[in-house]
PDB file of all heavy atoms in Angstrom:
ATOM      1  N   TYR A  61      98.715 120.382 118.460  1.00  0.00           N
ATOM      2  CA  TYR A  61      99.651 121.354 117.914  1.00  0.00           C
ATOM      3  C   TYR A  61     100.560 120.651 116.914  1.00  0.00           C
ATOM      4  O   TYR A  61     101.072 119.567 117.178  1.00  0.00           O
ATOM      5  CB  TYR A  61     100.511 121.981 119.016  1.00  0.00           C
ATOM      6  CG  TYR A  61      99.830 123.100 119.756  1.00  0.00           C
ATOM      7  CD1 TYR A  61      98.928 122.830 120.768  1.00  0.00           C
ATOM      8  CD2 TYR A  61     100.077 124.424 119.425  1.00  0.00           C
ATOM      9  CE1 TYR A  61      98.285 123.864 121.449  1.00  0.00           C
ATOM     10  CE2 TYR A  61      99.455 125.467 120.091  1.00  0.00           C
ATOM     11  CZ  TYR A  61      98.548 125.180 121.107  1.00  0.00           C
ATOM     12  OH  TYR A  61      97.909 126.208 121.764  1.00  0.00           O
ATOM     13  N   ASN A  62     100.760 121.288 115.765  1.00  0.00           N
ATOM     14  CA  ASN A  62     101.714 120.821 114.770  1.00  0.00           C
ATOM     15  C   ASN A  62     102.700 121.954 114.503  1.00  0.00           C
ATOM     16  O   ASN A  62     102.285 123.056 114.124  1.00  0.00           O
ATOM     17  CB  ASN A  62     101.009 120.443 113.462  1.00  0.00           C
ATOM     18  CG  ASN A  62     100.388 119.084 113.536  1.00  0.00           C
ATOM     19  OD1 ASN A  62     101.069 118.082 113.476  1.00  0.00           O
ATOM     20  ND2 ASN A  62      99.089 119.048 113.691  1.00  0.00           N
ATOM     21  N   PHE A  63     103.992 121.679 114.701  1.00  0.00           N
ATOM     22  CA  PHE A  63     105.017 122.697 114.503  1.00  0.00           C
ATOM     23  C   PHE A  63     104.636 124.000 115.226  1.00  0.00           C
ATOM     24  O   PHE A  63     104.690 125.086 114.650  1.00  0.00           O
ATOM     25  CB  PHE A  63     105.233 122.972 113.019  1.00  0.00           C
ATOM     26  CG  PHE A  63     105.799 121.799 112.274  1.00  0.00           C
ATOM     27  CD1 PHE A  63     104.989 120.992 111.507  1.00  0.00           C
ATOM     28  CD2 PHE A  63     107.160 121.519 112.341  1.00  0.00           C
ATOM     29  CE1 PHE A  63     105.518 119.904 110.813  1.00  0.00           C
ATOM     30  CE2 PHE A  63     107.694 120.438 111.651  1.00  0.00           C
ATOM     31  CZ  PHE A  63     106.868 119.634 110.888  1.00  0.00           C
ATOM     32  N   LYS A  64     104.218 123.874 116.476  1.00  0.00           N
ATOM     33  CA  LYS A  64     103.876 124.973 117.396  1.00  0.00           C
ATOM     34  C   LYS A  64     102.557 125.654 117.058  1.00  0.00           C
ATOM     35  O   LYS A  64     102.124 126.539 117.793  1.00  0.00           O
ATOM     36  CB  LYS A  64     104.984 126.042 117.417  1.00  0.00           C
ATOM     37  CG  LYS A  64     106.361 125.579 117.793  1.00  0.00           C
ATOM     38  CD  LYS A  64     107.309 126.759 117.929  1.00  0.00           C
ATOM     39  CE  LYS A  64     107.426 127.540 116.647  1.00  0.00           C
ATOM     40  NZ  LYS A  64     108.329 128.723 116.793  1.00  0.00           N
ATOM     41  N   GLU A  65     101.899 125.261 115.995  1.00  0.00           N
ATOM     42  CA  GLU A  65     100.640 125.898 115.632  1.00  0.00           C
ATOM     43  C   GLU A  65      99.466 125.011 116.059  1.00  0.00           C
ATOM     44  O   GLU A  65      99.453 123.808 115.778  1.00  0.00           O
ATOM     45  CB  GLU A  65     100.576 126.135 114.120  1.00  0.00           C
ATOM     46  CG  GLU A  65     101.675 127.048 113.593  1.00  0.00           C
ATOM     47  CD  GLU A  65     101.601 128.443 114.173  1.00  0.00           C
ATOM     48  OE1 GLU A  65     100.473 128.958 114.350  1.00  0.00           O
ATOM     49  OE2 GLU A  65     102.669 129.029 114.469  1.00  0.00           O
ATOM     50  N   GLN A  66      98.475 125.641 116.702  1.00  0.00           N
ATOM     51  CA  GLN A  66      97.316 124.861 117.115  1.00  0.00           C
ATOM     52  C   GLN A  66      96.494 124.488 115.895  1.00  0.00           C
ATOM     53  O   GLN A  66      96.092 125.371 115.112  1.00  0.00           O
ATOM     54  CB  GLN A  66      96.455 125.649 118.105  1.00  0.00           C
ATOM     55  CG  GLN A  66      95.290 124.850 118.660  1.00  0.00           C
ATOM     56  CD  GLN A  66      94.434 125.638 119.640  1.00  0.00           C
ATOM     57  OE1 GLN A  66      93.222 125.667 119.537  1.00  0.00           O
ATOM     58  NE2 GLN A  66      95.062 126.280 120.594  1.00  0.00           N
ATOM     59  N   THR A  67      96.249 123.215 115.716  1.00  0.00           N
ATOM     60  CA  THR A  67      95.481 122.752 114.561  1.00  0.00           C
ATOM     61  C   THR A  67      94.130 122.182 114.941  1.00  0.00           C
ATOM     62  O   THR A  67      93.280 121.986 114.077  1.00  0.00           O
ATOM     63  CB  THR A  67      96.270 121.689 113.781  1.00  0.00           C
ATOM     64  OG1 THR A  67      96.636 120.632 114.682  1.00  0.00           O
ATOM     65  CG2 THR A  67      97.525 122.276 113.166  1.00  0.00           C
ATOM     66  N   GLU A  68      93.933 121.889 116.220  1.00  0.00           N
ATOM     67  CA  GLU A  68      92.630 121.392 116.644  1.00  0.00           C
ATOM     68  C   GLU A  68      92.308 121.875 118.050  1.00  0.00           C
ATOM     69  O   GLU A  68      93.177 121.930 118.909  1.00  0.00           O
ATOM     70  CB  GLU A  68      92.586 119.865 116.629  1.00  0.00           C
ATOM     71  CG  GLU A  68      92.543 119.273 115.248  1.00  0.00           C
ATOM     72  CD  GLU A  68      92.287 117.795 115.262  1.00  0.00           C
ATOM     73  OE1 GLU A  68      91.466 117.342 116.078  1.00  0.00           O
ATOM     74  OE2 GLU A  68      92.912 117.092 114.456  1.00  0.00           O
ATOM     75  N   ASN A  69      91.055 122.222 118.211  1.00  0.00           N
ATOM     76  CA  ASN A  69      90.495 122.561 119.520  1.00  0.00           C
ATOM     77  C   ASN A  69      89.118 121.924 119.533  1.00  0.00           C
ATOM     78  O   ASN A  69      88.204 122.396 118.855  1.00  0.00           O
ATOM     79  CB  ASN A  69      90.424 124.078 119.683  1.00  0.00           C
ATOM     80  CG  ASN A  69      89.762 124.494 121.001  1.00  0.00           C
ATOM     81  OD1 ASN A  69      89.031 123.734 121.615  1.00  0.00           O
ATOM     82  ND2 ASN A  69      90.023 125.711 121.428  1.00  0.00           N
ATOM     83  N   ASN A  70      88.977 120.868 120.282  1.00  0.00           N
ATOM     84  CA  ASN A  70      87.728 120.112 120.252  1.00  0.00           C
ATOM     85  C   ASN A  70      86.701 120.689 121.214  1.00  0.00           C
ATOM     86  O   ASN A  70      86.303 120.054 122.187  1.00  0.00           O
ATOM     87  CB  ASN A  70      87.996 118.645 120.567  1.00  0.00           C
ATOM     88  CG  ASN A  70      88.552 117.924 119.381  1.00  0.00           C
ATOM     89  OD1 ASN A  70      88.396 118.368 118.250  1.00  0.00           O
ATOM     90  ND2 ASN A  70      89.200 116.814 119.620  1.00  0.00           N
ATOM     91  N   SER A  71      86.314 121.918 120.942  1.00  0.00           N
ATOM     92  CA  SER A  71      85.245 122.564 121.716  1.00  0.00           C
ATOM     93  C   SER A  71      85.554 122.548 123.208  1.00  0.00           C
ATOM     94  O   SER A  71      84.676 122.273 124.037  1.00  0.00           O
ATOM     95  CB  SER A  71      83.896 121.878 121.453  1.00  0.00           C
ATOM     96  OG  SER A  71      83.589 121.899 120.078  1.00  0.00           O
ATOM     97  N   VAL A  72      86.806 122.819 123.524  1.00  0.00           N
ATOM     98  CA  VAL A  72      87.224 122.826 124.920  1.00  0.00           C
ATOM     99  C   VAL A  72      86.853 124.166 125.557  1.00  0.00           C
ATOM    100  O   VAL A  72      87.075 125.223 124.949  1.00  0.00           O
ATOM    101  CB  VAL A  72      88.744 122.599 125.031  1.00  0.00           C
ATOM    102  CG1 VAL A  72      89.184 122.586 126.486  1.00  0.00           C
ATOM    103  CG2 VAL A  72      89.147 121.296 124.338  1.00  0.00           C
ATOM    104  N   PRO A  73      86.307 124.158 126.770  1.00  0.00           N
ATOM    105  CA  PRO A  73      85.950 125.428 127.432  1.00  0.00           C
ATOM    106  C   PRO A  73      87.153 126.341 127.583  1.00  0.00           C
ATOM    107  O   PRO A  73      88.297 125.883 127.747  1.00  0.00           O
ATOM    108  CB  PRO A  73      85.430 124.967 128.797  1.00  0.00           C
ATOM    109  CG  PRO A  73      85.003 123.565 128.594  1.00  0.00           C
ATOM    110  CD  PRO A  73      85.914 122.988 127.558  1.00  0.00           C
ATOM    111  N   SER A  74      86.901 127.623 127.567  1.00  0.00           N
ATOM    112  CA  SER A  74      87.990 128.608 127.587  1.00  0.00           C
ATOM    113  C   SER A  74      88.743 128.638 128.908  1.00  0.00           C
ATOM    114  O   SER A  74      89.808 129.262 128.991  1.00  0.00           O
ATOM    115  CB  SER A  74      87.439 130.002 127.283  1.00  0.00           C
ATOM    116  OG  SER A  74      86.459 130.356 128.249  1.00  0.00           O
ATOM    117  N   ARG A  75      88.233 127.965 129.933  1.00  0.00           N
ATOM    118  CA  ARG A  75      88.977 127.901 131.188  1.00  0.00           C
ATOM    119  C   ARG A  75      90.233 127.019 131.052  1.00  0.00           C
ATOM    120  O   ARG A  75      91.067 126.992 131.947  1.00  0.00           O
ATOM    121  CB  ARG A  75      88.081 127.404 132.319  1.00  0.00           C
ATOM    122  CG  ARG A  75      87.443 126.050 132.102  1.00  0.00           C
ATOM    123  CD  ARG A  75      86.467 125.741 133.237  1.00  0.00           C
ATOM    124  NE  ARG A  75      85.872 124.420 133.150  1.00  0.00           N
ATOM    125  CZ  ARG A  75      84.744 124.167 132.512  1.00  0.00           C
ATOM    126  NH1 ARG A  75      84.096 125.159 131.895  1.00  0.00           N
ATOM    127  NH2 ARG A  75      84.261 122.929 132.472  1.00  0.00           N
ATOM    128  N   PHE A  76      90.332 126.311 129.924  1.00  0.00           N
ATOM    129  CA  PHE A  76      91.551 125.575 129.568  1.00  0.00           C
ATOM    130  C   PHE A  76      92.221 126.336 128.426  1.00  0.00           C
ATOM    131  O   PHE A  76      91.627 126.523 127.359  1.00  0.00           O
ATOM    132  CB  PHE A  76      91.228 124.162 129.094  1.00  0.00           C
ATOM    133  CG  PHE A  76      90.637 123.283 130.140  1.00  0.00           C
ATOM    134  CD1 PHE A  76      89.262 123.209 130.301  1.00  0.00           C
ATOM    135  CD2 PHE A  76      91.447 122.526 130.970  1.00  0.00           C
ATOM    136  CE1 PHE A  76      88.713 122.398 131.275  1.00  0.00           C
ATOM    137  CE2 PHE A  76      90.905 121.714 131.948  1.00  0.00           C
ATOM    138  CZ  PHE A  76      89.525 121.652 132.103  1.00  0.00           C
ATOM    139  N   SER A  77      93.460 126.752 128.637  1.00  0.00           N
ATOM    140  CA  SER A  77      94.160 127.541 127.636  1.00  0.00           C
ATOM    141  C   SER A  77      95.512 126.911 127.334  1.00  0.00           C
ATOM    142  O   SER A  77      96.410 126.913 128.185  1.00  0.00           O
ATOM    143  CB  SER A  77      94.345 128.976 128.157  1.00  0.00           C
ATOM    144  OG  SER A  77      95.121 129.732 127.270  1.00  0.00           O
ATOM    145  N   PRO A  78      95.706 126.368 126.134  1.00  0.00           N
ATOM    146  CA  PRO A  78      96.992 125.744 125.817  1.00  0.00           C
ATOM    147  C   PRO A  78      98.011 126.760 125.321  1.00  0.00           C
ATOM    148  O   PRO A  78      97.665 127.843 124.838  1.00  0.00           O
ATOM    149  CB  PRO A  78      96.615 124.770 124.704  1.00  0.00           C
ATOM    150  CG  PRO A  78      95.500 125.463 123.991  1.00  0.00           C
ATOM    151  CD  PRO A  78      94.743 126.244 125.042  1.00  0.00           C
ATOM    152  N   GLU A  79      99.268 126.364 125.452  1.00  0.00           N
ATOM    153  CA  GLU A  79     100.364 127.184 124.940  1.00  0.00           C
ATOM    154  C   GLU A  79     101.471 126.260 124.474  1.00  0.00           C
ATOM    155  O   GLU A  79     101.831 125.312 125.172  1.00  0.00           O
ATOM    156  CB  GLU A  79     100.906 128.115 126.028  1.00  0.00           C
ATOM    157  CG  GLU A  79     102.075 128.976 125.567  1.00  0.00           C
ATOM    158  CD  GLU A  79     102.737 129.743 126.707  1.00  0.00           C
ATOM    159  OE1 GLU A  79     102.321 129.584 127.874  1.00  0.00           O
ATOM    160  OE2 GLU A  79     103.716 130.460 126.428  1.00  0.00           O
ATOM    161  N   CYS A  80     102.000 126.532 123.295  1.00  0.00           N
ATOM    162  CA  CYS A  80     103.079 125.713 122.744  1.00  0.00           C
ATOM    163  C   CYS A  80     104.192 126.640 122.262  1.00  0.00           C
ATOM    164  O   CYS A  80     104.190 127.050 121.102  1.00  0.00           O
ATOM    165  CB  CYS A  80     102.559 124.848 121.601  1.00  0.00           C
ATOM    166  SG  CYS A  80     103.728 123.621 121.010  1.00  0.00           S
TER     167      CYS A  80
END
Side-chain angles (χ1 to χ4, degrees):
Chain A
Y61 278 81
N62 280 285
F63 294 101
K64 302 187 300 178
E65 299 297 322
Q66 185 180 131
T67 55
E68 287 189 40
N69 176 339
N70 282 339
S71 303
V72 181
S74 59
R75 58 186 184 270
F76 295 91
S77 175
E79 179 189 2
C80 189

